[in-house]
Amino acid sequence: NEMWENITMEINKMIFIKEFVIKLTFAFIPTKILHEFGHVLACYIYNVPVYGIVFRFPDFITLHGAPSTELILKFIKYSGGFFAFIVLIPFLLLIKHANSRDIGTEATVFSYSIYSLINGLVEGYYLSQYETNPSIIVPFFIISIIVSYFIYN
């Protein structure tokens, strides 16, 4: 009986990992769109022209005009991650409130919530390094996934 419980537990872990990876993959672009929309919204608030959103590996980037002050530029840079975080947290709470057994979705939303918050902080605080090397955020993305895995598995 204990052997079957161990086998079942291992199968459940494999199913969770597969589901988690698939959902992380499919959630990447919508999360990044939320992030970029935060930048666009901040530009709109401060009348900074937006020229478009483009993909630049491993991320997307909002192309916008020059803000009138350094403080406004910082606000625009912080706004992407913070906006995505603010949108994802209520979604996470709705999933939890629904008593869903869909742990993969919950773990995915949690991962991207944490990642979005960290991304906003890194992008705003380390602006010059982030603009020249956007891959500096990748380790934080990996950490958010690992933390989610251990919390939800």
Side-chain angles (χ1 to χ4, degrees):
N1 199 12
E2 186 177 327
M3 179 183 81
W4 289 112
E5 286 177 18
N6 289 338
I7 291 171
T8 302
M9 207 164 65
E10 288 303 314
I11 290 172
N12 286 339
K13 277 186 182 181
M14 288 188 300
I15 291 170
F16 171 79
I17 291 169
K18 177 182 162 194
E19 181 182 336
F20 189 38
V21 168
I22 289 170
K23 289 182 178 186
L24 280 169
T25 303
F26 283 110
F28 177 76
I29 291 177
T31 302
K32 296 315 280 178
I33 289 170
L34 276 175
H35 176 103
E36 296 308 320
F37 184 73
H39 293 308
V40 170
L41 188 61
C43 287
Y44 177 77
I45 289 169
Y46 287 101
N47 293 320
V48 175
V50 174
Y51 305 118
I53 297 172
V54 296
F55 180 73
R56 180 181 74 173
F57 185 80
D59 211 346
F60 288 83
I61 186 169
T62 299
L63 303 174
H64 57 78
S68 58
T69 69
E70 184 69 25
L71 185 61
I72 292 173
L73 177 62
K74 286 279 191 185
F75 178 77
I76 291 169
K77 295 305 176 184
Y78 279 112
S79 67
F82 289 175
F83 181 80
F85 176 76
I86 289 168
V87 170
L88 289 171
I89 288 300
F91 184 60
L92 178 63
L93 295 174
L94 282 173
I95 293 169
K96 285 183 121 3
H97 181 69
N99 289 326
S100 173
R101 298 209 184 279
D102 190 356
I103 301 300
T105 299
E106 192 175 322
T108 301
V109 173
F110 181 80
S111 290
Y112 278 118
S113 298
I114 298 305
Y115 167 69
S116 294
L117 181 62
I118 294 170
N119 192 355
L121 291 169
V122 169
E123 192 172 354
Y125 191 74
Y126 297 106
L127 177 59
S128 60
Q129 295 92 330
Y130 185 83
E131 286 184 339
T132 57
N133 183 14
S135 63
I136 64 172
I137 197 67
V138 172
F140 297 107
F141 180 61
I142 293 167
I143 290 168
S144 70
I145 291 170
I146 292 169
V147 167
S148 296
Y149 173 80
F150 283 111
I151 287 174
Y152 286 97
N153 193 10

